[in-house]
Amino acid sequence: MKGFFAVASQEIIAQRRVFLAAAVAAAGPLIAPLLKEPRSNSPAEVRLMAAAFLAFAFAAALSFILGGTALGRDVSGGPLGFYLSRPVRGSAIYAGKLAGAWAVILLAPAIVLLPAVLFDLSLWRSWFGSEVGSIAAAFVGATFVLLAMGSVANLAIRSRSAWVGADLVALVLWIAAMVSIALPLAAAQATGLLQGLGLAVAAGCAAALLAAGGAQVSIGRLDAARGNRVRFAVLWGALFVVAALSFGYVRWLLSPSPRDLVRAAVGSAGSGPWIEVEGAARRRSGLTTSIFFDIETGRYVRARTGRQGAAVISRDGSTAAWTEPSSIWPDGPQDVWMCRLSGAKLERVHTPISTRLWNLEISPDGSIVAAVGPDSIGVYSLATGRLLGAIPQASGDRFFNRVTFPGPGRLRLFRVPSAGSAPWLEPFASVEVADFDFTAKRLITRATIAPIRRPFSLSFDEAGERLIAWERGSSLSLFDAATGRLVSVLANAGWDSASRAFLSDGRIAIGETSGGAGRVHLYSCDGEPETVLETGSAGILRLGGEPVPGTLAIAAASESSPMTTFDASLLDLQTGQIQPLGRHLEPVAARLRWRLPNPAAGSLATLLFSRSDGALLRLDPATMKLTLVLGNSEGKANVPHVP
């Protein structure tokens, strides 16, 4: 330790002129207000900005210069040779000289800042406040990295060895490796994780640089050839270890399993045991992921991680399709991937389909997909990626944004205009319905439903032949999608909330609350009122699916608020009898009713319930008991791992 402190103190004393230069530079910010332009910042702000700029510039320059000169002076003699001739370990010499240089780098900017800070202390506190600690830590870390970099670079260059060429080759390879490792995080728009990785890599690089310099001095000593070999081996060995650790870390970040989901929200389900679940992944700084999960066997296929996209399962449950970004740009094209869920081996297949899109829809048999984008709607063969037909989207907000496959060779499109930035200028809207025959490459306009008061929302039956429009003022109307004809006005009352569903027998159910009580109104296929079923006290009521035909899952909450929790029950539509299922539960089908088509009676989506802690449960229609699918009492998923 004595050798270390002796070397460090000598290095500080040797740089006394730097402190004199810092003291002279400290006067600059004090006279800076005299040079400011009229109507610019206040004198105090000018002083602090000038002082901060000078301090950071001083530190950056000193970091690289002192790093390059602390050990770069003639390795065959001079100060280094003097220290090595003494009974002082090489590592202590290297550490002492760097510690002394680092102390100079930190003290000199402090001298530059001190007069301006003391002059305007209150403004300094108002500017930075609690951020002073993080700014100081970033500043100290940056100077440390630059110091280590300058030290090793200078040792390598001054040695005039062929190993410098090997350093350049290794540097190019290492940079290429790190860029390829970081690109998936950039494509996933994981800014926070990317910043964390960058800080960790910077710390690892600093440690590698310091270790390499120390090894060159302590092992190579005055033997330049030996020192260069040691430096190269230690430096690039450590840096490629950093690259390997970074690769493993990024691979782990982008490979979450269902057990890593904090909350499992179901986005799609078919007739089989497969569902698509998505949510934030644990220990990944809020990184969202989408996974296809077989609730029978626990097998899963990872769709995408990070950036938002589309993921769907075909109606027959045989095929899954999803999108992944093909570039790091947020508005760039998306690649379409697929997986045959019915096979014994689950394989992610990258299809040739790549386009800008918002949404993805898949045919009932999983053979065709429709990519809905801002410029066009393309219909593709999923297996080959061949474009079967396309139609351009209209400009502005007049675009088709809901599609479904009503039959072979046809794509049904619903043009639902958005309100835009000034909905009061357009209080009414029209919904256009069209069929695209992609075998004949022909678009047929079927109907226009108008006028509908804004704001509004739509609910569709399974075939897309009828729709219910909810309009401002709790008005609910049933329309024929083929002709645009108004079939019936279901309700025009001042309900507090309303939820609607098409039942398996073609009838219509409307759940509403008013006066603190909930009710379910049943209508015939033609919108004729049939009966009203009381559901008890409720501030908001939501309708799920039919676990079995004639039994409707409902969820009621005592009040309508963003933080409310629901209690789920089963409602017998024939007798009106209510069977409670559990507290803090909500039918998954209640959130899937915006999709086309709606969950069919008895399908998997109608049997699933989400719990307020993020767990997912399945209802057994034979016993009417709930079993855990994902999550447990601690909010962690509990499923087997499938490679």
Side-chain angles (χ1 to χ4, degrees):
M1 291 299 293
K2 289 183 178 180
F4 167 81
F5 285 113
V7 173
S9 60
Q10 286 296 323
E11 187 65 28
I12 294 174
I13 294 171
Q15 303 298 336
R16 54 187 178 275
R17 293 181 181 177
V18 173
F19 299 127
L20 179 61
V24 173
L30 300 181
I31 63 173
L34 302 177
L35 308 176
K36 74 181 185 74
E37 296 182 3
R39 299 183 180 180
S40 64
N41 302 82
S42 67
E45 292 174 331
V46 172
R47 276 191 293 270
L48 284 184
M49 286 189 291
F53 174 79
L54 279 176
F56 279 102
F58 217 86
L62 279 177
S63 297
F64 206 78
I65 293 172
L66 292 184
T69 59
L71 285 171
R73 286 166 285 185
D74 195 5
V75 295
S76 63
L80 184 59
F82 170 77
Y83 287 128
L84 290 174
S85 65
R86 299 290 179 177
V88 180
R89 297 177 60 183
S91 57
I93 297 172
Y94 184 76
K97 291 185 75 65
L98 283 185
W102 198 22
V104 173
I105 292 169
L106 297 179
L107 288 173
I111 294 173
V112 174
L113 277 175
L114 187 60
V117 171
L118 294 177
F119 206 83
D120 303 293
L121 186 59
S122 59
L123 182 59
W124 174 271
R125 289 175 176 171
S126 66
W127 268 16
F128 299 104
S130 60
E131 300 295 326
V132 171
S134 58
I135 294 173
F139 175 78
V140 170
T143 58
F144 186 74
V145 172
L146 287 175
L147 177 63
M149 186 183 301
S151 172
V152 173
N154 192 71
L155 281 171
I157 293 172
R158 283 180 178 266
S159 65
R160 296 179 177 87
S161 170
W163 286 100
V164 176
D167 285 325
L168 295 177
V169 173
L171 177 62
V172 171
L173 294 176
W174 186 81
I175 291 176
M178 292 305 302
V179 169
S180 64
I181 290 169
L183 272 179
L185 279 183
Q189 302 293 305
T191 307
L193 294 174
L194 198 59
Q195 291 175 347
L197 177 66
L199 291 175
V201 169
C205 289
L209 291 166
L210 290 177
Q216 180 170 4
V217 173
S218 60
I219 299 176
R221 299 181 73 84
L222 296 180
D223 187 340
R226 182 185 181 189
N228 277 292
R229 291 195 300 269
V230 170
R231 174 192 52 75
F232 182 89
V234 172
L235 175 62
W236 295 111
L239 286 180
F240 279 103
V241 167
V242 169
L245 293 175
S246 300
F247 173 79
Y249 177 62
V250 172
R251 182 77 177 269
W252 174 80
L253 285 176
L254 300 179
S255 304
S257 69
R259 66 171 60 87
D260 296 319
L261 294 182
V262 178
R263 290 183 176 274
V266 179
S268 181
S271 60
W274 286 88
I275 59 175
E276 185 262 329
V277 291
E278 54 188 50
R282 185 175 288 102
R283 298 184 298 275
R284 288 167 173 84
S285 186
L287 192 71
T288 59
T289 187
S290 172
I291 299 173
F292 296 99
F293 176 62
D294 185 344
I295 67 173
E296 300 286 352
T297 64
R299 298 190 302 166
Y300 64 89
V301 178
R302 192 175 300 106
R304 68 179 184 281
T305 302
R307 191 191 301 179
Q308 293 296 317
V312 290
I313 299 175
S314 61
R315 191 71 164 173
D316 63 2
S318 65
T319 308
W322 67 95
T323 63
E324 293 187 13
S326 57
S327 69
I328 63 174
W329 311 114
D331 297 327
Q334 299 273 325
D335 294 341
V336 178
W337 292 65
M338 64 167 288
C339 179
R340 298 297 183 188
L341 304 176
S342 55
K345 182 180 179 181
L346 301 176
E347 184 179 0
R348 292 163 45 97
V349 179
H350 189 185
T351 73
I353 306 170
S354 182
T355 182
R356 293 179 62 208
L357 57 87
W358 296 323
N359 194 19
L360 197 68
E361 188 55 61
I362 190 169
S363 62
D365 62 355
S367 62
I368 299 172
V369 291
V372 182
D375 305 317
S376 65
I377 298 177
V379 182
Y380 300 86
S381 168
L382 190 57
T384 64
R386 183 169 65 92
L387 179 64
L388 303 178
I391 57 174
Q393 288 276 39
S395 60
D397 63 352
R398 301 290 181 177
F399 46 78
F400 294 108
N401 56 6
R402 291 195 182 186
V403 299
T404 187
F405 288 91
R410 283 194 305 148
L411 183 70
R412 180 154 299 165
L413 309 103
F414 296 88
R415 178 177 283 163
V416 184
S418 64
S421 58
W424 56 87
L425 298 179
E426 235 181 310
F428 292 92
S430 61
V431 176
E432 299 176 29
V433 185
D435 276 356
F436 178 47
D437 185 343
F438 49 85
T439 58
K441 309 294 191 295
R442 184 174 57 179
L443 180 67
I444 305 170
T445 301
R446 298 190 57 181
T448 299
I449 301 173
I452 301 177
R453 292 190 302 272
R454 296 184 188 272
F456 68 91
S457 63
L458 304 177
S459 299
F460 301 84
D461 67 353
E462 184 174 342
E465 297 292 343
R466 296 178 302 160
L467 61 87
I468 299 173
W470 173 89
E471 303 174 69
R472 184 182 61 196
S474 298
S475 173
L476 289 126
S477 303
L478 177 66
F479 291 92
D480 183 349
T483 63
R485 178 178 61 90
L486 175 64
V487 177
S488 174
V489 176
L490 302 177
N492 193 2
W495 293 340
D496 297 331
S497 67
S499 178
R500 55 269 184 206
F502 286 95
L503 302 177
S504 59
D505 58 7
R507 292 186 299 169
I508 299 165
I510 305 293
E512 57 89 5
T513 58
S514 59
R519 289 166 287 272
V520 174
H521 300 252
L522 297 180
Y523 298 84
S524 69
C525 299
D526 297 323
E528 296 296 328
E530 289 188 351
T531 186
V532 179
L533 305 176
E534 299 289 338
T535 62
S537 61
I540 185 172
L541 186 68
R542 289 181 178 172
L543 304 184
E546 293 177 83
V548 294
T551 300
L552 184 66
I554 62 174
S558 58
E559 58 182 15
S560 178
S561 69
M563 302 300 293
T564 191
T565 56
F566 290 87
D567 299 332
S569 304
L570 295 178
L571 173 63
D572 190 317
L573 299 176
Q574 184 66 30
T575 64
Q577 181 180 359
I578 295 179
Q579 177 183 348
L581 280 180
R583 301 191 60 190
H584 306 298
L585 291 175
E586 184 179 1
V588 165
R591 296 187 178 273
L592 291 182
R593 289 204 172 276
W594 66 273
R595 293 190 62 86
L596 287 171
N598 278 287
S603 63
L604 181 59
T606 65
L607 304 177
L608 297 176
F609 293 79
S610 59
R611 200 165 61 192
S612 58
D613 65 354
L616 190 66
L617 299 97
R618 183 187 185 186
L619 177 69
D620 184 348
T623 62
M624 293 299 175
K625 300 296 184 182
L626 291 166
T627 56
L628 192 67
V629 174
L630 284 176
N632 53 34
S633 58
E634 298 178 355
K636 299 178 181 177
N638 185 19
V639 296
H641 173 68
V642 177

